[in-house]
Amino acid sequence: MIRAKKRGWDDILLDVFIYTFLIALIIVTLYPFLNTLAISFNEGRDSIKGGIYLWPREFTTFNYESLLTDQQIFHAAGVSIARTVLTTVFGTFLTAMLAYVISRKDFVLRKFITFIYVLTMYVQGGLIPTYFLYQRLGLTNNFWVYVLPGLVAAFNLIIVRTYINGLPESLIESAKIDGASEFTIFLKIIMPLSKPVLATIAIFTAVYHWSAWWDVFLYNSSNPALATLQYELMKVLATANSMSGSMQQALANSAQSAQITPRAIRATMTIIVTVPIAVVYPFLQRYFVHGLTLGGVKE
Amino acid sequence: MKSSGNTFWQKLWKQKALVLMSLPFIIYVIIFKYIPLWGWLMAFQNYWPGNSFFEQTWVGLENFRLLLSDPVFFDVLRNTLAMSVIKLLSGMFFSILLALVLNEVRFAKFKKITQTISYLPHFISWVVGANLVMNALSTNGIVNDLLLNLGIVDSPIMFMGIPKLFWWIVGASHVWKTVGFGAILYLASIVSISPSLYEAAVIDGASRLQRIRYITLPALKPVIIILLIINVGRLMNMGFQQIYLLSNGRVIEYSRIFRIFELDFGLKMMRYSFATAAGIFRSLVSIVLVFSANQIAKMMGEERLI
């Protein structure tokens, strides 16, 4: 680092500003999570009085007990996990396959396919036509509406293609001489070499699908069996003052129902939904940041 | 096939393995992305789902006329653009500021920890984000507690119920969620600045602030302009989930944006053609915006996106 020899007052003032700013940022970022965590472990009626900051006042695990005995929550978690795993695995594999095909400079349809995919980033059919299409395809009230439409996204495709373009072409040439088919080249040579970029888009995909509630709301809201965790949380949020169906169920099942309050439910649900992200976070952020700087995404 | 004179078809035949691998993807994108574009025709009809395509009544531009004369249309346009501009400018400002500040931190460990924490909100959904925001702004949330204890207010404020505050809550929560992640791109540009520039500036007696002002900031100009162009094209589409989740009946006058408008009129009131017209209007404005921004950047002699 370059440092001026003498520290002037403006230099010191700058440091004061820098560290104040960063510490404020850390507090503002973390506090809402820690506060929600504290509320989720605090007795519901007591929380209404306010004044809970970083630590529960009347510690209880009752909020978690009543939510985690709710079958609907477990079912929704299952749906969330299923859609996340399926789209991440198949989406990443298929994106890699198409990226390999359009990275082949001698391929006659290369420009055409790239164009029809990139165009989808700018021109979209809109809410109503898409809804009718899915309805006609039988995708409404159907689990597969979570998986099929998002399998290959143009943005991910371009990232992977850019990466494959950077691999030495001689690898493909020599494999061809050895008589390998296109699919074998992709599977045995390109896939293993593209691991870093595939990890990045796999994480993009997984985070997106774990967070999704919008498609549940639009296409599958009539079927509680297809709800995801985020959708359950969204319902709790939407009915912040009253209670959603599954929550009322949870209350009905609970003898000590008076102890549970909407605010406590919201806090507890928020923590339940966030914990999986927090667990894989170190891994997530490494590849995410890596992916963003993986070379220009520019066409 | 060797006798065929057409080289394109010959090549295609030779590359049949690649064609076979890509064919499902071509069909896939046509079904899921291009068939809905056909649905744009709905905007020029009085669409009814029970009828076939040939049985629909065509109404020309009637739906667009209705749209432009709808009393809430200009509120919707105003809200959409106002919130997008607030989010775009405040988001960029704080991300750049954070990148500059992080670059000045000398303790590598502190810098790394701060960065790791600052990305965190990026990875949570807006459902969780909105929950945290509403918790912090509730009548016994931290913001009200601070204001009460500092003696700024006498009784708690219902922040989420004040229409005029809604845009700023959206702006602030956008900054909260995106500032850390947004700073990554700027920080990457700062790291690529040649150290010799700074060394020369030190020899010339430039202070740290002057080095930031005359070396770091100008070096960020290209990435700032590229990001501005990309985001100007998205002004009509920015952050729908966030606004939808934070809004409530009391602030609807200031929270209703285009996509909420389309949802309300399209799927709830079943005015399909009308909502599709609103969607087309939104897409057209987006296209005009992205091309104008691109053109302005070109005139300024800057890098372009398209």
Side-chain angles (χ1 to χ4, degrees), chain A residues 2-4 7 10-11 14-15 17-19 21-23 25-26 28-33 35-36 39 47-51 53 94 97-98 100-101 104 106-109 112-113 116-117 119-120 122-125 127-134 136-137 139 148-152 182-183 186 207 211 213-214 217-218 230 233-234 237 263 266 270 273-274 277 281 284-285 288-289 292-293 298, chain B residues 8 11-12 15 17-19 21-22 25-26 28-29 31-37 39-40 42 47 49 94 97-98 101-107 110 114-125 127-128 130-132 134-135 138 140-142 145 149 176 179 181 184-185 188 195 198-199 202 207-209 211-212 226 240-241 244-245 259 262-263 266-267 272 275-276 282-283 287 303 305:
Chain A
I2 321 116
R3 284 174 75 168
R7 277 167 66 87
D10 58 333
D11 203 15
L14 190 63
D15 268 341
F17 170 75
I18 286 168
Y19 292 103
F21 179 82
L22 290 178
I23 288 166
L25 178 84
I26 292 173
V28 170
T29 305
L30 287 184
Y31 179 81
F33 291 101
N35 180 239
T36 305
I39 292 174
S47 297
I48 297 170
K49 293 178 214 148
Y53 300 106
L94 293 172
M97 186 157 127
L98 186 61
Y100 165 67
V101 173
R104 290 286 305 272
D106 54 336
F107 182 42
V108 284
L109 298 178
F112 168 70
I113 296 172
I116 59 172
Y117 270 87
L119 193 64
T120 63
Y122 299 98
V123 185
Q124 282 135 17
L127 184 74
I128 309 294
T130 307
Y131 183 86
F132 283 130
L133 172 72
Y134 291 175
R136 199 155 295 181
L137 292 174
L139 282 174
L148 289 179
L151 276 181
V152 184
E182 295 289 355
F183 191 72
F186 161 67
V207 170
S211 302
W213 59 276
W214 177 237
F217 173 70
L218 271 187
Q230 302 276 350
L233 179 61
M234 192 283 284
L237 181 69
R263 194 167 184 213
R266 260 162 58 204
T270 304
V273 170
T274 312
I277 295 277
Y281 183 61
L284 277 185
Q285 71 123 357
F288 234 88
V289 176
L292 255 192
T293 44
K298 273 181 284 176
Chain B
F8 174 79
K11 258 181 131 177
L12 203 64
Q15 298 175 334
L18 289 175
V19 174
M21 275 168 84
S22 58
F25 293 98
I26 297 175
Y28 171 81
V29 79
I31 292 177
F32 282 99
K33 304 289 173 181
Y34 287 94
I35 289 181
L37 285 183
W40 272 17
M42 246 187 241
Y47 183 81
F94 282 101
L97 184 65
L98 178 60
V101 161
L102 278 171
N103 188 50
E104 295 293 322
V105 173
R106 296 199 190 91
F107 311 104
F110 179 71
T114 314
Q115 271 187 289
T116 304
I117 291 172
S118 73
Y119 305 146
L120 182 66
H122 177 84
F123 294 97
I124 57 156
S125 66
V127 182
V128 170
N131 242 323
L132 297 178
M134 285 161 89
N135 186 38
S138 69
N140 53 15
I142 184 73
D145 279 0
N149 287 333
W176 177 79
V179 64
F181 203 67
I184 296 175
L185 281 177
Y198 291 106
E199 282 156 24
V202 172
S207 71
R208 265 164 95 195
L209 220 50
R211 276 175 266 155
I212 294 172
I226 277 287
F240 158 72
Q241 294 198 7
Y244 182 85
L245 290 165
R259 294 189 52 183
E262 286 166 47
L263 183 73
L267 293 183
Y272 304 118
T276 305
R282 176 165 59 85
S283 297
I287 291 167
E303 268 185 86
L305 178 68

